[in-house]
Amino acid sequence: MSLLSVHDVKKLYGDSCGDCVSLTGDAAGTNQCPDCGTVVACADINFEVHEGEVLGIVGESGSGKSSLAEVIALDLEADGGKVRYHPYDGNLLDANYQERVELRNQHVGMVHQHIRDGLNLSFSGGGNVAEKLLSADWRRYEAIRDRVRDLFNQTEVPVERMDDAAETYSGGMQRRVQIAKALATEPELVILDEPTTGLDVSVQARVLDVFRRIQREQGVATIVVSHDLDVVRLLADRTLVMRHGRVIESGLTDRIMEDPHHKYTQTLINSVI
Amino acid sequence: MILEIDDLSKTFEMHVIDNKCVVGLDGVSFDVREGEFFAVVGESGSGKSSLLKSIYRSYQPSSGCIVYRSLDGPVDLATCSEQQVLKLRGNEIGYTSQFLDEIPRVPAVDVVARPLREGGMDPDAARDQATELLRALNLPEDLFDAFPATFSGGERQRVNLARAIAPQPRLLLLDEPTSALDPDTRAAAIDLLETYLDESTTMVGVFHNPEVIRDIADRVAMLENGHLERVVDVSDYRREALL
């Protein structure tokens, strides 16, 4: 069943002349409007995410993938389109401030690329996760401690470190605490933005394995945004390829990797070193 | 019939090389009976892997039908939705290639146990069964808890094969799963295919080794340059091999 469906989502940076979308994209070879200079971060975006499914979004820097993820995570206002998300009645993009806060607290988990966007590093690791639970109306101290302990175990963060400041954690641990925080309130959807960027190769593998295990066990639907084809290959069931603010190809991940159709996707696959 | 393939073609358009078109399969038609071992032979480049990948939908067929009789009724694998493909891969259709593709730093036994756990088996029971499969394939015991990235080609291939057969899929697609194995291990692998999988599993397999085909295939399809030349019973294949 479809958990999330996205129709014609659009996000522009700049004062649009009104023709920006038709003057940019794959055929035009740019995401910047030649008339007014507006950047079309994404346009004509259509896709669905089904329950328990992992959707990958790949593309180079500036392709629009992070803007798209932020729109869906309700961190960024869109300039048009419709998003249906099962826990919300109506167009998600029209949700008011209060509704957005509630959705973010309870129904969407986000793992940010930049640790500082996801964690308060001067708080303890456990405190960061507890904060998310508090915002979702968890009130009993012991229940919160138990839940944090349980999440630390699942994400393989040493429980004995839960009261230490997050800034004393290794990069891989910080990333896993973010995963614990994102999953804390059992959201229906989790969004991972460049989950392995800035981590050593050996640590990357562990983060991916921890996430994939939990994802399969809990069946949480996931959108994973990455410029790294390997990350998407290992996690995603289906993949969208973005370029110049548009989805230029989509399909089963192994089909995209082994039988790429679009010229750009073929170049991308052939460029893996 | 569990699989009916009709006029299947696959063309690759290579934009990177001046939009050159490469024909992988051209008008291939055949049926596979439930429970049989259907072998595909042909020289390299004849389309054997393209055929298996088209059935698994790792390749998007250019035209034609691949009707698979699933437990929920017939499905055209060439055109059905991606969600349907994913569901069938989870429940009914397995695929194994020569190469292992796994998240690094997962122990071999857990790689094999994963599909069993995902099928709902208790984690300890899944590990036990995975251990048994790896043992039956003569993988050295001290490798069970090691990471396959450091394994030899033959060792990886055993992990890969064990993982593919573990959930006992209804349709198993095998793409040269024993190419890197020595004769004794290959015999153990074939033995395991025959004993662990019963007649509820149908196999479509590419094997480069004619002995394997003579031993276990029921029928043999011969491919040449993307065309299906003919399909023969294994008795005829054996007789022709002697001539």
Side-chain angles (χ1 to χ4, degrees):
Chain A
M1 211 183 100
S2 170
L3 176 72
L4 178 83
S5 62
V6 172
H7 302 282
D8 290 329
V9 162
K10 184 165 75 174
K11 174 67 194 173
L12 310 177
Y13 294 98
D15 293 321
S16 174
C17 60
D19 296 323
C20 305
V21 171
S22 57
L23 294 173
T24 57
D26 187 34
T30 179
N31 65 350
Q32 190 167 23
C33 179
D35 279 4
C36 67
T38 293
V39 170
V40 180
C42 43
D44 306 322
I45 307 287
N46 291 282
F47 66 88
E48 291 192 344
V49 179
H50 292 241
E51 282 171 7
E53 181 179 48
V54 182
L55 180 79
I57 303 180
V58 288
E60 56 201 10
S61 308
S63 60
K65 57 191 192 310
S66 288
S67 292
L68 178 58
E70 285 170 25
V71 165
I72 293 162
L74 298 164
D75 283 340
L76 192 63
E77 292 262 3
D79 292 300
K82 218 189 282 176
V83 176
R84 298 273 174 198
Y85 181 44
H86 194 255
Y88 183 73
D89 208 14
N91 183 357
L92 192 66
L93 302 178
D94 296 336
N96 64 34
Y97 179 78
Q98 188 54 40
E99 291 168 330
R100 280 170 181 257
V101 169
E102 200 180 304
L103 282 161
R104 270 204 302 256
N105 286 340
Q106 311 219 15
H107 299 288
V108 183
M110 179 84 186
V111 176
H112 293 268
Q113 174 179 1
H114 302 291
I115 292 297
R116 280 167 207 284
D117 292 337
L119 297 180
N120 185 330
L121 293 181
S122 57
F123 283 15
S124 69
N128 270 282
V129 179
E131 187 195 13
K132 173 103 182 185
L133 292 167
L134 285 165
S135 66
D137 294 330
W138 284 55
R139 286 292 171 260
R140 274 188 44 242
Y141 178 80
E142 269 314 312
I144 292 173
R145 293 285 291 183
D146 286 349
R147 176 72 179 144
V148 172
R149 229 174 264 127
D150 182 38
L151 287 160
F152 270 43
N153 276 324
Q154 283 184 50
T155 51
E156 300 178 13
V157 181
V159 173
E160 60 274 19
R161 297 285 308 275
M162 71 187 256
D163 295 322
D164 298 349
E167 62 198 357
T168 67
Y169 292 4
S170 69
M173 270 168 69
Q174 289 173 347
R175 201 69 59 123
R176 295 200 301 279
V177 171
Q178 268 213 78
I179 293 174
K181 184 178 169 184
L183 293 166
T185 55
E186 299 187 329
E188 292 86 343
L189 178 70
V190 169
I191 298 169
L192 303 180
D193 190 8
E194 302 281 5
T196 58
T197 303
L199 300 177
D200 293 339
V201 177
S202 59
V203 178
Q204 288 181 4
R206 184 153 178 214
V207 168
L208 293 181
D209 185 48
V210 162
F211 181 75
R212 191 164 81 160
R213 180 175 47 74
I214 299 172
Q215 191 277 326
R216 300 276 171 102
E217 280 169 12
Q218 304 188 357
V220 57
T222 304
I223 295 177
V224 51
V225 176
S226 183
H227 70 283
D228 186 342
L229 286 170
D230 274 335
V231 169
V232 166
R233 185 173 57 85
L234 291 170
L235 291 182
D237 301 309
R238 292 188 305 125
T239 294
L240 310 178
V241 183
M242 286 191 71
R243 194 183 194 206
H244 299 317
R246 309 297 195 280
V247 174
I248 55 160
E249 179 162 2
S250 69
L252 295 165
T253 302
D254 53 315
R255 203 280 295 156
I256 297 268
M257 302 288 167
E258 298 190 40
D259 180 20
H261 295 168
H262 193 282
K263 183 176 182 178
Y264 173 71
T265 317
Q266 293 185 354
T267 308
L268 202 64
I269 304 292
N270 287 318
S271 306
V272 174
I273 48 171
Chain B
M1 296 299 164
I2 190 164
L3 203 58
E4 292 169 43
I5 297 182
D6 185 32
D7 206 16
L8 176 67
S9 294
K10 173 60 189 169
T11 311
F12 301 92
E13 200 183 338
M14 324 275 265
H15 296 289
V16 185
I17 328 172
D18 291 334
N19 297 337
K20 188 181 162 203
C21 275
V22 176
V23 176
L25 296 169
D26 186 9
V28 170
S29 304
F30 63 88
D31 298 337
V32 178
R33 299 169 191 149
E34 191 150 2
E36 81 172 324
F37 193 112
F38 190 92
V40 182
V41 299
E43 293 179 0
S44 53
S46 59
K48 306 185 297 288
S49 292
S50 293
L51 177 61
L52 294 187
K53 287 182 178 179
S54 296
I55 297 171
Y56 198 60
R57 264 284 276 282
S58 291
Y59 287 174
Q60 174 64 55
S62 304
S63 62
C65 303
I66 305 171
V67 177
Y68 168 70
R69 302 219 172 262
S70 78
L71 294 172
D72 298 325
V75 182
D76 182 0
L77 298 173
T79 56
C80 71
S81 74
E82 288 158 2
Q83 261 76 29
Q84 249 175 319
V85 173
L86 291 170
K87 189 171 162 230
L88 288 171
R89 286 181 183 182
N91 301 333
E92 299 191 28
I93 303 180
Y95 171 85
T96 180
S97 73
Q98 316 178 48
F99 311 106
L100 181 69
D101 189 17
E102 250 302 315
I103 283 196
R105 292 163 72 88
V106 178
V109 65
D110 290 323
V111 169
V112 178
R114 193 194 298 274
L116 294 169
R117 285 205 321 265
E118 283 169 11
M121 193 184 277
D122 164 78
D124 288 333
R127 253 179 154 256
D128 288 347
Q129 188 156 335
T131 304
E132 262 177 58
L133 284 167
L134 291 173
R135 203 170 276 147
L137 288 168
N138 300 336
L139 190 77
E141 301 262 343
D142 51 355
L143 294 183
F144 289 8
D145 288 312
F147 305 136
T150 58
F151 289 12
S152 72
E155 288 159 356
R156 277 195 218 197
Q157 214 163 51
R158 278 173 267 179
V159 175
N160 208 15
L161 184 61
R163 179 179 59 170
I165 67 173
Q168 299 176 299
R170 270 188 88 221
L171 175 65
L172 179 57
L173 308 167
L174 301 153
D175 193 357
E176 305 217 21
T178 61
S179 62
L181 303 184
D182 61 69
D184 285 347
T185 312
R186 187 165 63 225
I190 299 307
D191 199 40
L192 187 64
L193 283 179
E194 289 188 308
T195 52
Y196 183 74
L197 303 172
D198 56 22
E199 52 284 356
S200 64
T201 295
T202 304
M203 285 182 265
V204 180
V206 172
F207 289 87
H208 74 300
N209 193 304
E211 291 149 40
V212 173
I213 294 163
R214 288 202 292 269
D215 286 351
I216 59 169
D218 294 303
R219 289 190 301 152
V220 184
M222 298 175 185
L223 279 178
E224 209 176 300
N225 292 326
H227 291 277
L228 179 66
E229 288 298 309
R230 59 209 171 96
V231 177
V232 298
D233 280 327
V234 75
S235 53
D236 294 325
Y237 179 79
R238 283 195 201 108
R239 198 173 307 125
E240 285 175 31
L242 288 173
L243 295 175

